Structure formats: structure tokens, C-alpha cells
Amino acid sequence: MKSEAKARPAPRSRGRRLGAFVFLSPGLTYLVVLLLAPLALVLSYTVFQRGRFGGVVYEFTTENFTRLIDPLYLGVVGNSLKIAGLTTLIALLIGYPTAYVIAQLPPKWKTIALVAIVLPFWTNFIIRVYAWIMLLSGPGLVNSGLKALGLGPYELLYNQGAIVTGLLYSYLPLMVLPLYSAIERLDPQLREASANLGASGFTTFRKVTLPLTVPGVLTGCLFVFVPSFGNFVIPEILGGNKSIMVGNLIRDQFLKARDWPFGSTLALALIAVLIVLLIAQAWAARRA
């Protein structure tokens, strides 16, 4: 009898579990309906064939996976890696000094600077991207300024430079905020101790500040690289048809080619790449 009583959960414990389930159920429902179920559907489509007029024919095939190594699609992936990597590098070069300066400001100005960083997010994403067309077009503001200096006009729109500019503008705050958080958490006494030991400002930054903020650097790079790699709106609007990225390729497979199985395979490959990046970032952050 005693062993049976021990095996049964206490009424209070059951009540806690029931309460936890009730509070977690909205979030769990959201995850299942909007994440796990679509992901399972995408995963299942990868092993079926394309219908003659679109859709899915439920006959098993591995052709979708062999098409992934086609040089045409590998070229698109390489182009996406180049653009996303360049955007991330420039965002880091701009974001780190920006976050460092903000962290040194008085509290009042620090708040104002942080609000200014996130202020672009208060405007619709599409509107912000279209605004760059007016800035970079032939008679736009940038070319007008260059012509006033006797330097223009230049072809600034519908090329990879325009795509990088749009991605950088859209995702730079995602680099600055993690870096600011990492720098803000640094113990000031560490830098003071380094200075008291005779280290110059640059040596203190190189041997104290930068190594201790590596987790913030990795997080910021991941936050910028991931949305840049899969973005298809900015390449479509600012790049025209001259530069195709992975996001555009996946969209075209679903909406234009109506090849849902191969589009699902591309989406699955993109998800796999992003999971690998997340694991690598977590591993590197633990070792930093």
C-alpha cells in the first residue's frame, strides 16, 4: 500500500502540472499550428514529385535532393552567402564602435541613443525599403549630392551594392543591440586594472574588452546573417532581376514554377544551414 501511495503523484503536484499545462497551452498551440505542422508538411513534400500542372504527386523520389547540388542552385547559394556575409561584416564594423560609444554615454543620452537605434523599426519594413529607391535612383538624393560635388551621377540601384545597403540599413540595429548589451555588462574595474598596469587604450580594448564581448559579437553576427541570407524582399525591390538570392529562389519555386516539392527541399536545406549556424554560435559562445 505504501509503495502505491508513493507511486501516485500528490494532489498538489497534479494541480501544479495542470496549472502549468493550462498556462503553456496557448504557446504550445501556437508552436504546433504555426511551426511544427508547417515544418512537417514541408518535410513530407521533399520526397514527393511535382504535379504536371503544379501541386504534389504523392510518389516517392529522391530527385529533389540531387537537384540541390546543381551548379545553378549552388551559384545562387554562393551569391547569397557572399551578400549576407558582406552585410554582416559591414554591420559589425559599424555596429561595434556605435555600441561602444553608446555604452560610455551618460544614462540620459544612452536612452536617447538606443531609441534612435530602434526608431526605424517603428516604420513599416516595405516602406523603408521603397524609400531607398528614392534615395538611390538616378535623380535621387544621393546622386543629387554627388552631382553637386562634381562626382556623379552613378548607377546606385538594381545591383548587389543596393541590396547590401538595404540589408545593412534594415538589420544594423540587430547588430548594435547585442553588442551594446555585451559591452554594458563588462566590469569597468577590468579596464581600469588594465590601464593601471600600463596598458594603452588600444591594448586594453584588444586584450580585455574585445575578448569579453565575443558572445555579443557572435550573437549580433547571427542576428544579421540569418535574415540577410533568407531575405527575398530587399533583393527583389533594390536588386531587380540582376541578383537572385536563396529566398527569391524558394519563392519562385512555389509561386512561379509551382514546383512545391523542390521548393520545400530548398526551404529544408535553408533551415538546416541556419540550425548548423545556431549550433556553431552556441558552441563558440561557450568557448569564448
Side-chain angles (χ1 to χ4, degrees):
M1 293 294 290
K2 286 184 178 180
S3 59
E4 290 181 2
K6 287 181 180 178
R8 294 176 182 171
R12 181 177 295 181
S13 177
R14 288 201 300 269
R16 287 179 178 176
R17 291 177 185 174
L18 180 60
F21 177 77
V22 169
F23 282 106
L24 288 174
S25 57
L28 291 175
T29 304
Y30 174 86
L31 287 176
V32 170
V33 174
L34 298 180
L35 178 65
L36 296 181
L39 188 60
L41 193 62
V42 166
L43 182 62
S44 66
Y45 280 176
T46 59
V47 295
F48 295 126
Q49 300 180 15
R50 172 194 178 190
R52 187 174 180 181
F53 302 104
V56 180
V57 175
Y58 296 97
E59 295 179 4
F60 181 80
T61 181
T62 59
E63 183 186 356
N64 298 315
F65 291 96
T66 58
R67 289 175 64 188
L68 287 177
I69 57 175
D70 188 296
L72 175 64
Y73 303 125
L74 290 179
V76 174
V77 173
N79 185 53
S80 303
L81 288 172
K82 182 179 71 175
I83 292 176
L86 183 60
T87 303
T88 305
L89 178 61
I90 298 174
L92 178 61
L93 294 177
I94 297 175
Y96 200 103
T98 303
Y100 189 86
V101 170
I102 293 175
Q104 312 308 317
L105 292 174
K108 173 186 173 184
W109 290 106
K110 194 180 293 185
T111 304
I112 294 174
L114 289 174
V115 170
I117 290 293
V118 300
L119 197 60
F121 282 96
W122 297 2
T123 309
N124 184 276
F125 176 77
I126 300 296
I127 293 175
R128 283 185 281 138
V129 175
Y130 271 108
W132 277 100
I133 293 180
M134 292 185 283
L135 291 172
L136 299 179
S137 62
L141 187 63
V142 176
N143 265 324
S144 298
L146 291 174
K147 278 198 294 185
L149 297 173
L151 299 175
Y154 295 106
E155 191 66 38
L156 302 176
L157 202 56
Y158 305 128
N159 53 42
Q160 292 193 356
I163 298 174
V164 172
T165 302
L167 292 172
L168 184 63
Y169 169 75
S170 299
Y171 300 127
L172 183 60
L174 301 181
M175 176 67 79
V176 174
L177 295 179
L179 285 172
Y180 165 77
S181 177
I183 296 171
E184 181 71 8
R185 285 200 305 267
L186 277 181
D187 188 351
Q189 293 182 348
L190 294 175
R191 282 177 284 186
E192 292 176 5
S194 176
N196 292 337
L197 292 173
S200 65
F202 179 71
T203 303
T204 299
F205 173 78
R206 186 168 55 87
K207 294 190 174 182
V208 178
T209 305
L210 186 58
L212 292 177
T213 55
V214 166
V217 172
L218 295 172
T219 303
C221 290
L222 191 68
F223 282 1
V224 175
F225 183 85
V226 168
S228 299
F229 186 64
N231 195 289
F232 65 91
V233 175
I234 294 176
E236 182 78 18
I237 296 175
L238 299 182
N241 296 322
K242 297 179 180 178
S243 188
I244 298 177
M245 295 181 68
V246 172
N248 303 91
L249 183 61
I250 295 174
R251 181 209 54 187
D252 290 346
Q253 293 302 317
F254 279 100
L255 300 182
K256 295 183 179 179
R258 296 182 62 78
D259 192 348
W260 292 8
F262 186 57
S264 299
T265 308
L266 285 169
L268 185 66
L270 181 61
I271 292 171
V273 170
L274 299 183
I275 290 174
V276 170
L277 289 176
L278 286 171
I279 294 173
Q281 185 268 342
W283 177 80
R286 281 200 303 270
R287 292 179 62 86

